[in-house]
Amino acid sequence: MDRIERAESADWLVDAVRQVVQAAPMGRARDVLHGRWLGHPVHPLMVQLPLGSWMSAAVLDFVPGQQRAARILVGVGLLTALPAAAAGWTDWAELRRPQMRVGLMHAAANAAGVALYATSFAARLRGKHGRGRAWGLAGLATVGVGGAVGGHMAFRQASGANHAEHVPDLVGADWHTLGDLADFPVGAPVRGHLHDEPVVVLREASGTIRVLADRCSHMGGPLSEGELIDGCIRCPWHGSTFRLADGWNTTGPATAPQPAFETRTSGTRVEARIMTLDESCTTLDAALLSKIDDPGDER
């Protein structure tokens, strides 16, 4: 697997497939397939349907008189494999290059498994249950290999993991000095540090200072190098957008919000502490109420 991660010879294929996936006109469906609504990637959840159906079919293949039930389960697995694959490709197109190289192997194994199960289903329809069972077992073994490669992506390469989950534990709940007020120019995001943890700091024209963890929760991109968009900051790597007020991920591919910090100023010294869940929800409620109270805001 380490050799595959370093296989630059496959990058021409990575780039070609990625271009096709990113060019697909999915609109808001892209965030749905990423799993932003769920709070974590939806692909691992969706693959339970085809895998569960195929494993159940394998069991019923050895139970007398259950040929029809096994055939139905194989068909259900084939149908549900399509949306699971769509979610997987959508996530894959927003990964780092080493992860994408391994992801191609993961996709190839799963595609081969689907092809074997399609052959199994066709044989079963013709009444050749012995052949159907054999093709099905081959398909199960193949998607098992694909699952092992997917496990490597998830647990070794941290594909889909929240890359900012550790921030509250490392920083702690206390107030920490962030720097002098003069260190933060108005209207420009800059990188600061709290307990050696990088944060992105924005000093607004109103005097409010916004602070988020700098490493994007999606893949660790530097938000301090990102673009400001309507009270949010957009990651320069994959385009995830986070609200500066509370860290909420307004667009994917990030599925987890960004750790946000409460700030205060003592003289010219700026201090910050991690924003708790209750404080974050209060900030969100206040933002929503302000939109409701503003008749000129169509959102």
Side-chain angles (χ1 to χ4, degrees):
M1 299 306 298
D2 291 339
R3 286 196 295 270
I4 294 174
E5 291 180 21
R6 299 190 297 267
E8 297 181 2
S9 59
D11 285 352
W12 67 270
L13 181 58
V14 166
D15 292 336
V17 178
R18 182 182 188 182
Q19 185 176 3
V20 172
V21 175
Q22 291 184 332
M26 290 189 287
R28 294 183 178 180
R30 194 177 298 272
D31 274 358
V32 173
L33 290 174
H34 279 309
R36 191 177 71 86
W37 56 276
L38 187 60
H40 60 77
V42 73
H43 175 65
L45 175 64
M46 296 178 73
V47 299
Q48 305 307 311
L49 292 171
L51 289 178
S53 298
W54 290 334
M55 292 182 69
S56 299
V59 172
L60 292 181
D61 274 337
F62 293 93
V63 178
Q66 297 299 320
Q67 292 92 341
R68 182 174 181 273
R71 183 179 72 245
I72 291 174
L73 285 170
V74 170
V76 169
L78 289 170
L79 289 175
T80 54
L82 296 176
W89 281 115
T90 303
D91 288 341
W92 173 88
E94 307 294 347
L95 297 177
R96 294 186 298 110
R97 197 165 289 273
Q99 297 166 324
M100 296 174 78
R101 294 166 186 156
V102 177
L104 284 181
M105 181 179 177
H106 172 65
N110 287 335
V114 169
L116 290 168
Y117 267 111
T119 305
S120 171
F121 187 73
R124 295 167 192 267
L125 284 177
R126 295 193 301 269
K128 299 179 179 179
H129 301 293
R131 289 186 181 182
R133 180 171 62 183
W135 285 115
L137 291 175
L140 185 61
T142 305
V143 295
V145 172
V149 177
H152 178 89
M153 294 179 66
F155 300 111
R156 175 72 175 270
Q157 296 183 302
S159 302
N162 180 356
H163 289 257
E165 179 68 19
H166 64 285
V167 172
D169 291 330
L170 291 183
V171 175
D174 298 329
W175 287 98
H176 303 287
T177 299
L178 184 59
D180 192 88
L181 191 61
D183 296 334
F184 310 113
V186 176
V190 296
R191 172 177 283 193
H193 288 85
L194 289 175
H195 265 227
D196 297 326
E197 185 65 29
V199 294
V200 55
V201 186
L202 177 70
R203 180 181 173 189
E204 297 179 340
S206 63
T208 302
I209 297 178
R210 307 292 189 185
V211 180
L212 301 179
D214 191 42
R215 294 191 179 99
C216 176
S217 64
H218 173 237
M219 290 302 299
L223 295 184
S224 54
E225 300 177 15
E227 178 185 3
L228 296 177
I229 304 174
D230 192 24
C232 301
I233 191 163
R234 187 178 185 221
C235 179
W237 283 10
H238 302 103
S240 298
T241 307
F242 302 93
R243 192 162 46 217
L244 286 161
D246 55 10
W248 187 255
N249 48 318
T250 60
T251 64
T255 59
Q258 200 70 4
F261 294 82
E262 180 184 2
T263 62
R264 68 184 183 187
T265 304
S266 177
T268 61
R269 185 180 63 185
V270 180
E271 298 178 333
R273 70 174 180 181
I274 195 73
M275 188 180 293
T276 66
L277 179 61
D278 289 341
E279 291 168 334
S280 179
C281 290
T282 299
T283 303
L284 174 59
D285 290 343
L288 292 175
L289 286 173
S290 69
K291 300 302 180 185
I292 295 173
D293 293 338
D294 183 1
D297 195 318
E298 297 180 354
R299 291 174 293 180

